[in-house]
Amino acid sequence: MIRIENISKQNSHQILFIEASAALFKGEKVGLVGPNGAGKSTLFRMITGEDQPDEGQVSVDRGVSIGYFNQDVGEMSGRSAVAEVMNGAGPVSLVAAELHALETAMADPDRDDMDAIIERYGEVQARFEELDGYALEGRAREVLAGLSFSQEMMDGDVGALSGGWKMRVALARILLMRPDAMLLDEPSNHLDLESLIWLEEFLKGYEGGLLMTSHDREFMNRIVTKIVEIDGGQLTTYSGDYEFYVAQRAQNEKQQQAQFERQQAMLAKEIKFIERFKARASHASQVQSRVKKLEKIDRVEPPRRRQTVSFDFPPAPRSGEDVVTLKGVGKRYGARVIYDGLDFTIRRKERWCVMGVNGAGKSTLLKLVTGTTAPDEGGVTLGGSVKLGYFAQHAMELLDGERTVFQSLEDAFPQAGQGSLRALAGCFGFSGDDVEKKCRVLSGGEKARLVMALMLYDPPNFLVLDEPTNHLDMATKEMLITALGAYEGTMLFVSHDRHFLAELSNRVLELTPEGIHQFGGGYTEYVARTGHEAPGLRG
């Protein structure tokens, strides 16, 4: 369906591709991976024709329809969410628009071309039925419901939605369109766990070709059967899921390293012989033949080392045994009761993940615990010697846009040396000139990394994290999981990343309309005991 043949591409000073090739065939589900800035989005744009390679070609088979979802959703307003989704559904949406215009014209008694309008209406209506147009609204609502929209949100003005919900509308448009090939750039961003699992099932049942990127390793693993990796300007294809790719890549690197070392040892031996005997006439012919042999050898390159970041927590001060206690807590927003008589205690070294459908009160619980919201009844008490660190999405908006990354770290830790602050910045992906970037130009992922660096340098003994991995790439996420795995303190967190949940939780608090349930094991045990991966999903 889609072929990428010997493409080369350079963006200003950066070379993205050098004679790179790959293909997407009908029915294949392919994951596109590579470090940030490697050229994933550029590749998508070349497939859609928005960008062109400098050399080589990207060809799409005749008649193949492509749906492209990216993070830049553009303007949306003046229509309901369901109308916005239907509007993007390909040819049928154009027919629906004409049908609507003809209905309006027919309602105007002053029109003198009514016979022509009625005749045209019959033709358009027949075409609309042929395209299964009358089922379109039902399908649009089904897709939006899968992405966690309530009926009110579906029928409300799309312009009133937040950026994250508009992103879901844009995604729903592509899913409803069901093109021959889907290009999905980070579709798992901004989705809660229920929507993520619904999308997973939808994509598994999708029969077209799929090329996608995602920072969610579990999501990628369950959908793709092939990986295309961008690395050093090349496209390398691996048959298998993401786990297979990681293992295969590690094995390839190990073999390449062993080959490199063997060749280096052989070269050293030959060079030593040449150096030793080059002045002796008796060995002249042997020396010459060895010099020629060395000139002809294909040199094995050492494997390219990926920049891996690691962060070691300085030890946090020890807290008391009871870290936080909620007693008889009530909380409501208007007529909506979120909590009524909630009793809940977190003890030292417990790592609670909070599960619940949208609106169940996950973020509210975190705000109550951190004191950012006061309960309407009851009390929240922090234990002795508790030092709290709170990561919330709004923390990223509080960064001073005019300060650079490095100045932000210096402001927070005036006693720290330049060296240790640069090391901290490096751990969180700010190397070289990146530390001189002003906060206002940082991407969502960069802001999240900076806020985390600010929070973890002088570590709290109680971490409260609200969707900490939302904007992080896989490498930073892995670094964070490794660092938090070694963390000695207590944790309370909300996350839709199942790998993060499984690796770090040892307790689960499930919020459901029927009540609040506490599980004494981590997320993996929760899934085994309940038979579902998230509340609101059964089976």
Short mmCIF file of all heavy atoms in Angstrom, two decimals, residues 24 27-32 171 175 182 184 186-188 191 195-214 216-227 240-243 498:
data_model
loop_
_atom_site.label_atom_id
_atom_site.label_comp_id
_atom_site.label_asym_id
_atom_site.label_seq_id
_atom_site.Cartn_x
_atom_site.Cartn_y
_atom_site.Cartn_z
N LEU A 24 4.55 -0.46 4.15
CA LEU A 24 3.36 -0.83 4.92
C LEU A 24 2.43 -1.56 3.97
O LEU A 24 2.02 -1.02 2.94
CB LEU A 24 2.67 0.43 5.48
CG LEU A 24 1.33 0.19 6.19
CD1 LEU A 24 1.52 -0.57 7.51
CD2 LEU A 24 0.60 1.51 6.47
N GLY A 27 -3.42 -4.49 5.78
CA GLY A 27 -3.73 -5.27 6.98
C GLY A 27 -2.62 -5.31 8.02
O GLY A 27 -2.80 -5.88 9.10
N GLU A 28 -1.45 -4.71 7.73
CA GLU A 28 -0.35 -4.73 8.70
C GLU A 28 -0.54 -3.67 9.78
O GLU A 28 -1.06 -2.59 9.51
CB GLU A 28 0.98 -4.43 8.00
CG GLU A 28 1.66 -5.64 7.46
CD GLU A 28 3.09 -5.33 6.99
OE1 GLU A 28 3.39 -4.19 6.64
OE2 GLU A 28 3.88 -6.26 6.99
N LYS A 29 -0.08 -4.00 10.98
CA LYS A 29 -0.12 -3.02 12.07
C LYS A 29 1.33 -2.80 12.52
O LYS A 29 1.96 -3.71 13.07
CB LYS A 29 -0.99 -3.53 13.22
CG LYS A 29 -2.46 -3.65 12.79
CD LYS A 29 -3.33 -4.12 13.93
CE LYS A 29 -4.81 -4.02 13.55
NZ LYS A 29 -5.20 -4.89 12.46
N VAL A 30 1.83 -1.61 12.23
CA VAL A 30 3.27 -1.33 12.39
C VAL A 30 3.48 -0.22 13.41
O VAL A 30 2.81 0.81 13.37
CB VAL A 30 3.89 -0.92 11.03
CG1 VAL A 30 5.37 -0.62 11.17
CG2 VAL A 30 3.67 -2.00 9.98
N GLY A 31 4.43 -0.42 14.32
CA GLY A 31 4.82 0.61 15.27
C GLY A 31 6.06 1.33 14.76
O GLY A 31 7.02 0.67 14.33
N LEU A 32 6.03 2.65 14.79
CA LEU A 32 7.19 3.44 14.35
C LEU A 32 7.90 3.96 15.60
O LEU A 32 7.27 4.64 16.43
CB LEU A 32 6.70 4.61 13.48
CG LEU A 32 7.75 5.54 12.88
CD1 LEU A 32 8.65 4.79 11.90
CD2 LEU A 32 7.08 6.72 12.17
N LEU A 171 -9.33 12.36 16.83
CA LEU A 171 -9.05 10.93 16.71
C LEU A 171 -10.32 10.18 16.27
O LEU A 171 -10.27 9.32 15.39
CB LEU A 171 -8.53 10.39 18.05
CG LEU A 171 -8.22 8.90 18.13
CD1 LEU A 171 -7.16 8.50 17.12
CD2 LEU A 171 -7.75 8.52 19.54
N LEU A 175 -11.15 7.51 13.13
CA LEU A 175 -11.64 6.15 13.40
C LEU A 175 -12.97 5.92 12.68
O LEU A 175 -13.22 4.83 12.15
CB LEU A 175 -11.82 5.92 14.91
CG LEU A 175 -10.56 6.08 15.77
CD1 LEU A 175 -10.88 5.80 17.23
CD2 LEU A 175 -9.42 5.18 15.31
N MET A 182 -4.27 4.00 8.22
CA MET A 182 -4.29 5.01 9.29
C MET A 182 -2.88 5.31 9.73
O MET A 182 -2.09 4.39 9.97
CB MET A 182 -5.08 4.49 10.50
CG MET A 182 -6.55 4.76 10.45
SD MET A 182 -7.27 4.56 12.10
CE MET A 182 -8.31 3.17 11.87
N LEU A 184 -1.27 7.14 12.82
CA LEU A 184 -1.63 7.69 14.13
C LEU A 184 -0.37 8.10 14.89
O LEU A 184 0.45 7.25 15.25
CB LEU A 184 -2.43 6.65 14.95
CG LEU A 184 -3.71 6.10 14.30
CD1 LEU A 184 -4.39 5.11 15.24
CD2 LEU A 184 -4.68 7.21 13.92
N GLU A 186 0.98 9.32 18.15
CA GLU A 186 0.67 9.41 19.58
C GLU A 186 -0.83 9.41 19.88
O GLU A 186 -1.33 10.31 20.56
CB GLU A 186 1.31 10.68 20.19
CG GLU A 186 2.82 10.69 20.18
CD GLU A 186 3.42 9.59 21.03
OE1 GLU A 186 2.73 9.00 21.87
OE2 GLU A 186 4.60 9.30 20.82
N PRO A 187 -1.60 8.41 19.41
CA PRO A 187 -3.03 8.42 19.70
C PRO A 187 -3.33 8.15 21.18
O PRO A 187 -4.42 8.46 21.65
CB PRO A 187 -3.57 7.28 18.83
CG PRO A 187 -2.42 6.33 18.70
CD PRO A 187 -1.20 7.21 18.64
N SER A 188 -2.36 7.58 21.91
CA SER A 188 -2.62 7.22 23.31
C SER A 188 -2.45 8.39 24.27
O SER A 188 -2.82 8.30 25.43
CB SER A 188 -1.72 6.05 23.73
OG SER A 188 -0.37 6.33 23.42
N LEU A 191 -5.50 10.09 26.72
CA LEU A 191 -6.59 9.14 26.93
C LEU A 191 -6.51 8.55 28.33
O LEU A 191 -5.44 8.27 28.83
CB LEU A 191 -6.52 7.99 25.91
CG LEU A 191 -6.74 8.33 24.43
CD1 LEU A 191 -6.79 7.05 23.61
CD2 LEU A 191 -8.01 9.14 24.21
N SER A 195 -10.58 4.50 27.85
CA SER A 195 -10.55 4.87 26.43
C SER A 195 -9.41 4.17 25.72
O SER A 195 -9.54 3.74 24.56
CB SER A 195 -10.34 6.38 26.27
OG SER A 195 -11.27 7.09 27.01
N LEU A 196 -8.30 4.05 26.42
CA LEU A 196 -7.11 3.42 25.85
C LEU A 196 -7.40 1.95 25.52
O LEU A 196 -7.05 1.46 24.44
CB LEU A 196 -5.99 3.50 26.89
CG LEU A 196 -4.56 3.42 26.42
CD1 LEU A 196 -4.25 4.48 25.41
CD2 LEU A 196 -3.62 3.56 27.61
N ILE A 197 -8.07 1.27 26.44
CA ILE A 197 -8.37 -0.15 26.24
C ILE A 197 -9.42 -0.31 25.14
O ILE A 197 -9.35 -1.23 24.32
CB ILE A 197 -8.81 -0.79 27.58
CG1 ILE A 197 -7.59 -0.83 28.53
CG2 ILE A 197 -9.37 -2.19 27.38
CD1 ILE A 197 -7.91 -1.08 29.98
N TRP A 198 -10.38 0.63 25.09
CA TRP A 198 -11.37 0.59 24.00
C TRP A 198 -10.68 0.78 22.65
O TRP A 198 -10.96 0.05 21.68
CB TRP A 198 -12.43 1.69 24.22
CG TRP A 198 -13.42 1.74 23.10
CD1 TRP A 198 -14.56 1.00 22.96
CD2 TRP A 198 -13.31 2.53 21.89
NE1 TRP A 198 -15.18 1.28 21.77
CE2 TRP A 198 -14.44 2.22 21.08
CE3 TRP A 198 -12.39 3.47 21.42
CZ2 TRP A 198 -14.66 2.81 19.83
CZ3 TRP A 198 -12.60 4.05 20.17
CH2 TRP A 198 -13.72 3.73 19.40
N LEU A 199 -9.76 1.76 22.58
CA LEU A 199 -9.05 2.05 21.33
C LEU A 199 -8.22 0.84 20.89
O LEU A 199 -8.15 0.50 19.70
CB LEU A 199 -8.16 3.28 21.50
CG LEU A 199 -7.31 3.69 20.28
CD1 LEU A 199 -8.19 4.01 19.08
CD2 LEU A 199 -6.43 4.90 20.61
N GLU A 200 -7.62 0.18 21.87
CA GLU A 200 -6.82 -1.02 21.62
C GLU A 200 -7.67 -2.07 20.89
O GLU A 200 -7.26 -2.63 19.87
CB GLU A 200 -6.42 -1.57 22.98
CG GLU A 200 -5.17 -2.35 23.04
CD GLU A 200 -4.79 -2.54 24.51
OE1 GLU A 200 -5.33 -3.46 25.12
OE2 GLU A 200 -3.98 -1.76 25.04
N GLU A 201 -8.88 -2.31 21.42
CA GLU A 201 -9.79 -3.30 20.82
C GLU A 201 -10.22 -2.86 19.42
O GLU A 201 -10.30 -3.65 18.50
CB GLU A 201 -11.02 -3.51 21.72
CG GLU A 201 -10.73 -4.25 23.01
CD GLU A 201 -10.00 -5.57 22.78
OE1 GLU A 201 -10.45 -6.37 21.93
OE2 GLU A 201 -8.96 -5.81 23.44
N PHE A 202 -10.52 -1.56 19.28
CA PHE A 202 -10.94 -1.03 17.99
C PHE A 202 -9.86 -1.26 16.94
O PHE A 202 -10.13 -1.72 15.83
CB PHE A 202 -11.25 0.47 18.12
CG PHE A 202 -11.77 1.10 16.85
CD1 PHE A 202 -13.13 1.28 16.66
CD2 PHE A 202 -10.90 1.52 15.84
CE1 PHE A 202 -13.62 1.85 15.48
CE2 PHE A 202 -11.37 2.09 14.67
CZ PHE A 202 -12.74 2.26 14.48
N LEU A 203 -8.62 -0.93 17.29
CA LEU A 203 -7.51 -1.05 16.32
C LEU A 203 -7.19 -2.50 16.01
O LEU A 203 -6.77 -2.83 14.91
CB LEU A 203 -6.27 -0.30 16.83
CG LEU A 203 -6.41 1.23 16.90
CD1 LEU A 203 -5.17 1.85 17.51
CD2 LEU A 203 -6.68 1.83 15.52
N LYS A 204 -7.39 -3.37 17.01
CA LYS A 204 -7.16 -4.81 16.75
C LYS A 204 -8.14 -5.31 15.69
O LYS A 204 -7.82 -6.17 14.88
CB LYS A 204 -7.37 -5.62 18.04
CG LYS A 204 -6.17 -5.62 18.97
CD LYS A 204 -6.48 -6.53 20.15
CE LYS A 204 -5.53 -6.31 21.29
NZ LYS A 204 -6.03 -6.94 22.53
N GLY A 205 -9.37 -4.76 15.70
CA GLY A 205 -10.40 -5.20 14.75
C GLY A 205 -10.34 -4.45 13.43
O GLY A 205 -11.06 -4.79 12.49
N TYR A 206 -9.51 -3.43 13.34
CA TYR A 206 -9.41 -2.62 12.11
C TYR A 206 -8.67 -3.41 11.03
O TYR A 206 -7.62 -3.98 11.29
CB TYR A 206 -8.67 -1.31 12.47
CG TYR A 206 -8.21 -0.48 11.30
CD1 TYR A 206 -9.13 0.09 10.42
CD2 TYR A 206 -6.85 -0.25 11.07
CE1 TYR A 206 -8.69 0.87 9.35
CE2 TYR A 206 -6.41 0.52 10.01
CZ TYR A 206 -7.34 1.08 9.15
OH TYR A 206 -6.90 1.85 8.10
N GLU A 207 -9.23 -3.44 9.82
CA GLU A 207 -8.66 -4.32 8.79
C GLU A 207 -7.68 -3.63 7.86
O GLU A 207 -7.04 -4.27 7.03
CB GLU A 207 -9.81 -4.96 7.99
CG GLU A 207 -10.54 -6.00 8.82
CD GLU A 207 -11.82 -6.50 8.18
OE1 GLU A 207 -12.12 -6.07 7.05
OE2 GLU A 207 -12.50 -7.31 8.83
N GLY A 208 -7.58 -2.30 7.94
CA GLY A 208 -6.65 -1.58 7.06
C GLY A 208 -5.21 -1.65 7.55
O GLY A 208 -4.89 -2.36 8.51
N GLY A 209 -4.34 -0.90 6.88
CA GLY A 209 -2.93 -0.82 7.30
C GLY A 209 -2.79 0.26 8.37
O GLY A 209 -3.40 1.32 8.27
N LEU A 210 -2.00 -0.01 9.38
CA LEU A 210 -1.84 0.94 10.49
C LEU A 210 -0.36 1.21 10.73
O LEU A 210 0.44 0.28 10.84
CB LEU A 210 -2.47 0.35 11.76
CG LEU A 210 -2.24 1.10 13.07
CD1 LEU A 210 -2.95 2.45 13.06
CD2 LEU A 210 -2.72 0.29 14.27
N LEU A 211 -0.01 2.50 10.77
CA LEU A 211 1.35 2.90 11.15
C LEU A 211 1.19 3.88 12.30
O LEU A 211 0.50 4.90 12.16
CB LEU A 211 2.06 3.57 9.98
CG LEU A 211 3.51 4.04 10.23
CD1 LEU A 211 4.44 2.86 10.48
CD2 LEU A 211 4.04 4.87 9.06
N MET A 212 1.77 3.57 13.47
CA MET A 212 1.54 4.45 14.61
C MET A 212 2.78 4.60 15.49
O MET A 212 3.66 3.75 15.53
CB MET A 212 0.37 3.94 15.45
CG MET A 212 0.67 2.69 16.24
SD MET A 212 -0.65 2.39 17.42
CE MET A 212 0.13 1.23 18.52
N THR A 213 2.81 5.73 16.19
CA THR A 213 3.81 5.93 17.24
C THR A 213 3.05 5.97 18.56
O THR A 213 1.87 6.34 18.59
CB THR A 213 4.54 7.29 17.09
OG1 THR A 213 3.58 8.34 17.26
CG2 THR A 213 5.20 7.43 15.75
N SER A 214 3.70 5.58 19.63
CA SER A 214 3.09 5.71 20.96
C SER A 214 4.17 5.60 22.01
O SER A 214 5.12 4.83 21.86
CB SER A 214 2.05 4.60 21.18
OG SER A 214 1.57 4.66 22.51
N ASP A 216 3.32 4.62 24.91
CA ASP A 216 2.75 3.63 25.83
C ASP A 216 3.15 2.24 25.36
O ASP A 216 2.63 1.72 24.38
CB ASP A 216 1.22 3.78 25.86
CG ASP A 216 0.58 2.92 26.94
OD1 ASP A 216 1.00 1.75 27.09
OD2 ASP A 216 -0.34 3.40 27.62
N ARG A 217 4.08 1.66 26.09
CA ARG A 217 4.68 0.40 25.66
C ARG A 217 3.67 -0.75 25.62
O ARG A 217 3.67 -1.58 24.73
CB ARG A 217 5.84 0.19 26.63
CG ARG A 217 6.23 -1.15 26.97
CD ARG A 217 7.33 -1.11 28.02
NE ARG A 217 8.13 -2.30 27.88
CZ ARG A 217 9.40 -2.36 28.12
NH1 ARG A 217 10.06 -1.31 28.54
NH2 ARG A 217 10.06 -3.48 27.96
N GLU A 218 2.78 -0.78 26.62
CA GLU A 218 1.78 -1.85 26.71
C GLU A 218 0.80 -1.77 25.54
O GLU A 218 0.45 -2.76 24.91
CB GLU A 218 1.03 -1.72 28.04
CG GLU A 218 0.25 -2.94 28.45
CD GLU A 218 1.10 -4.19 28.64
OE1 GLU A 218 2.23 -4.10 29.16
OE2 GLU A 218 0.62 -5.26 28.23
N PHE A 219 0.36 -0.56 25.24
CA PHE A 219 -0.57 -0.29 24.13
C PHE A 219 0.06 -0.72 22.81
O PHE A 219 -0.55 -1.43 22.01
CB PHE A 219 -0.86 1.22 24.14
CG PHE A 219 -1.77 1.71 23.04
CD1 PHE A 219 -3.11 1.41 23.05
CD2 PHE A 219 -1.27 2.53 22.03
CE1 PHE A 219 -3.95 1.89 22.05
CE2 PHE A 219 -2.09 3.01 21.03
CZ PHE A 219 -3.44 2.68 21.05
N MET A 220 1.30 -0.32 22.60
CA MET A 220 2.05 -0.69 21.39
C MET A 220 2.16 -2.21 21.28
O MET A 220 1.90 -2.80 20.22
CB MET A 220 3.44 -0.05 21.45
CG MET A 220 4.28 -0.29 20.23
SD MET A 220 4.05 0.94 18.95
CE MET A 220 5.35 2.08 19.29
N ASN A 221 2.52 -2.84 22.38
CA ASN A 221 2.73 -4.29 22.41
C ASN A 221 1.53 -5.08 21.97
O ASN A 221 1.65 -6.12 21.34
CB ASN A 221 3.03 -4.73 23.85
CG ASN A 221 4.43 -5.21 23.97
OD1 ASN A 221 5.07 -5.54 22.99
ND2 ASN A 221 4.93 -5.24 25.18
N ARG A 222 0.34 -4.59 22.36
CA ARG A 222 -0.86 -5.38 22.12
C ARG A 222 -1.42 -5.21 20.71
O ARG A 222 -2.31 -5.93 20.32
CB ARG A 222 -1.93 -4.99 23.14
CG ARG A 222 -1.49 -5.36 24.54
CD ARG A 222 -2.55 -4.95 25.51
NE ARG A 222 -2.10 -5.19 26.87
CZ ARG A 222 -2.91 -5.42 27.87
NH1 ARG A 222 -4.21 -5.44 27.66
NH2 ARG A 222 -2.45 -5.62 29.08
N ILE A 223 -0.94 -4.20 19.99
CA ILE A 223 -1.54 -3.92 18.68
C ILE A 223 -0.61 -4.28 17.52
O ILE A 223 -1.03 -4.91 16.56
CB ILE A 223 -1.93 -2.42 18.60
CG1 ILE A 223 -3.05 -2.14 19.60
CG2 ILE A 223 -2.37 -2.05 17.20
CD1 ILE A 223 -3.32 -0.69 19.83
N VAL A 224 0.66 -3.89 17.63
CA VAL A 224 1.53 -4.01 16.44
C VAL A 224 2.15 -5.41 16.31
O VAL A 224 2.35 -6.11 17.29
CB VAL A 224 2.65 -2.94 16.42
CG1 VAL A 224 2.07 -1.55 16.55
CG2 VAL A 224 3.69 -3.19 17.51
N THR A 225 2.41 -5.77 15.05
CA THR A 225 3.06 -7.06 14.78
C THR A 225 4.37 -6.84 14.02
O THR A 225 5.02 -7.77 13.59
CB THR A 225 2.14 -7.96 13.93
OG1 THR A 225 1.72 -7.21 12.79
CG2 THR A 225 0.92 -8.40 14.72
N LYS A 226 4.72 -5.55 13.86
CA LYS A 226 5.97 -5.22 13.16
C LYS A 226 6.43 -3.86 13.69
O LYS A 226 5.59 -3.01 14.01
CB LYS A 226 5.66 -5.14 11.66
CG LYS A 226 6.86 -4.97 10.75
CD LYS A 226 6.46 -5.27 9.30
CE LYS A 226 6.79 -4.11 8.39
NZ LYS A 226 6.42 -4.35 7.00
N ILE A 227 7.74 -3.68 13.80
CA ILE A 227 8.30 -2.40 14.25
C ILE A 227 9.22 -1.86 13.16
O ILE A 227 10.04 -2.60 12.61
CB ILE A 227 9.12 -2.59 15.56
CG1 ILE A 227 8.22 -3.01 16.73
CG2 ILE A 227 9.91 -1.33 15.90
CD1 ILE A 227 7.40 -1.93 17.36
N GLY A 240 7.56 -8.51 14.68
CA GLY A 240 7.21 -8.85 16.06
C GLY A 240 6.69 -7.63 16.78
O GLY A 240 6.64 -6.54 16.22
N ASP A 241 6.31 -7.81 18.04
CA ASP A 241 5.77 -6.68 18.81
C ASP A 241 6.91 -5.87 19.43
O ASP A 241 8.08 -6.11 19.15
CB ASP A 241 4.77 -7.16 19.88
CG ASP A 241 5.42 -8.10 20.90
OD1 ASP A 241 6.66 -8.22 20.92
OD2 ASP A 241 4.67 -8.71 21.70
N TYR A 242 6.55 -4.92 20.28
CA TYR A 242 7.56 -4.01 20.83
C TYR A 242 8.57 -4.76 21.73
O TYR A 242 9.77 -4.50 21.67
CB TYR A 242 6.88 -2.88 21.62
CG TYR A 242 7.87 -1.84 22.10
CD1 TYR A 242 8.39 -0.88 21.24
CD2 TYR A 242 8.33 -1.84 23.42
CE1 TYR A 242 9.32 0.05 21.66
CE2 TYR A 242 9.27 -0.92 23.85
CZ TYR A 242 9.76 0.02 22.97
OH TYR A 242 10.69 0.94 23.40
N GLU A 243 8.07 -5.69 22.55
CA GLU A 243 8.97 -6.46 23.44
C GLU A 243 9.99 -7.23 22.60
O GLU A 243 11.16 -7.29 22.95
CB GLU A 243 8.17 -7.47 24.29
CG GLU A 243 7.28 -6.85 25.35
CD GLU A 243 8.04 -6.10 26.43
OE1 GLU A 243 9.16 -6.50 26.78
OE2 GLU A 243 7.52 -5.08 26.92
N ARG A 498 -0.20 1.31 31.91
CA ARG A 498 -0.28 0.02 32.62
C ARG A 498 1.09 -0.52 33.03
O ARG A 498 1.22 -1.19 34.03
CB ARG A 498 -1.03 -1.00 31.76
CG ARG A 498 -2.52 -0.74 31.75
CD ARG A 498 -3.22 -1.37 30.58
NE ARG A 498 -2.88 -0.70 29.34
CZ ARG A 498 -3.34 -1.06 28.15
NH1 ARG A 498 -4.16 -2.08 28.06
NH2 ARG A 498 -2.99 -0.41 27.06
#
